Amino acid sequence: MAAARDTDTDTGNAAGTGARGRKRARTTGRGGSAVQERSERTRRKLVHAGAEMFHRNGYANATLLEIASFAGVTKGALYFHFASKDELAEAVQLRGCELLREAVRELRASGSSPLQTLVDTTHWLALNLREEPAIPASFRITKECAGLPALATDFHRIWLAEVCGLLCEARDAGELRAEGRWESIESLVAAAACGIEALAATGMPYAELQRRVSGLWSLLLPSLVPEGAERQFRLGMPDPDTAPRRVADVRGESAHCPSRPVFSGSSA
């Protein structure tokens, strides 16, 4: 059910559409901060609504009219913030990127090793594929809009970059077996990490998905770490005290996404 109709002033007429209109809202004199706060709140609602509709219906079938209706704003207000569906889809992916980066940052801050952080990040993904629409929507947008020049962000590649980056850190920290080809190890873990999204897309209950992620690591870890070292790792969800927040408090959608290569290659 759509939210109550938003009554803020960013109605998105032709003269005020897009960046020029947003700049005008930011530079309003007395009361400008209230106008800006209201405008930013509307933008967040639109990104959330876009994520819901892209996740449910796909990029091609989601319409700006239904997104505006779901957000509880006028279509003019939507155009004030986003000039096109491509621009909104980009904002949804950037939100997914920020949520992911925030989760990894919080897990690192808990003091876990790089490999444990990787295990915990895959559990975070399994949970948020159910709880935060920007995450499954970002995957779906990436798959449905592959090669579309208007979308600069590729969430699928960003997810892989985070996974492989943590795996590299685990290697450099001495957590992985000394023997074995790095390219093969990296490919195995990357494929397993991508498979979590594929499993979630089948609609299986979250409890089953969580069990499968734990089972995945029960098989992977003995082949990744020195003999017997797998017992040092927790296979299930992080403890509540160390787990990242379920929905990160993202304060903007313009944060920079990781740009490192997805695969580091077979170099030592």
Side-chain angles (χ1 to χ4, degrees), residues 117-268:
T117 298
L118 175 54
V119 173
D120 293 344
T121 299
T122 60
H123 278 289
W124 174 90
L125 179 70
L127 177 64
N128 283 279
L129 283 166
R130 290 282 180 261
E131 292 203 348
E132 171 49 60
I135 302 302
S138 293
F139 276 114
R140 187 164 186 177
I141 291 167
T142 293
K143 288 185 284 188
E144 294 184 6
C145 301
L148 195 65
L151 298 182
T153 304
D154 184 331
F155 185 78
H156 209 152
R157 289 183 63 85
I158 290 164
W159 165 244
L160 277 176
E162 289 292 343
V163 167
C164 293
L166 287 168
L167 189 64
C168 283
E169 291 179 27
R171 177 195 63 185
D172 295 343
E175 291 189 280
L176 305 185
R177 288 177 180 267
E179 68 273 13
R181 292 186 60 205
W182 171 248
E183 185 178 40
S184 299
I185 293 171
E186 191 180 46
S187 297
L188 175 63
V189 173
C194 288
I196 296 169
E197 187 269 334
L199 286 172
T202 66
M204 69 172 58
Y206 168 66
E208 181 181 351
L209 181 61
Q210 183 182 5
R211 287 196 301 273
R212 287 176 182 254
V213 173
S214 298
L216 178 72
W217 285 112
S218 72
L219 291 175
L220 278 178
L221 282 175
S223 66
L224 295 175
V225 302
E227 186 175 358
E230 67 273 10
R231 291 190 291 272
Q232 301 172 13
F233 297 91
R234 175 180 25 79
L235 302 180
M237 281 283 288
D239 297 329
D241 291 340
T242 59
R245 289 163 292 172
R246 289 190 170 190
V247 178
D249 180 19
V250 179
R251 305 194 184 282
E253 286 74 44
S254 60
H256 174 66
C257 291
S259 58
R260 59 189 172 194
V262 172
F263 293 108
S264 62
S266 57
S267 59

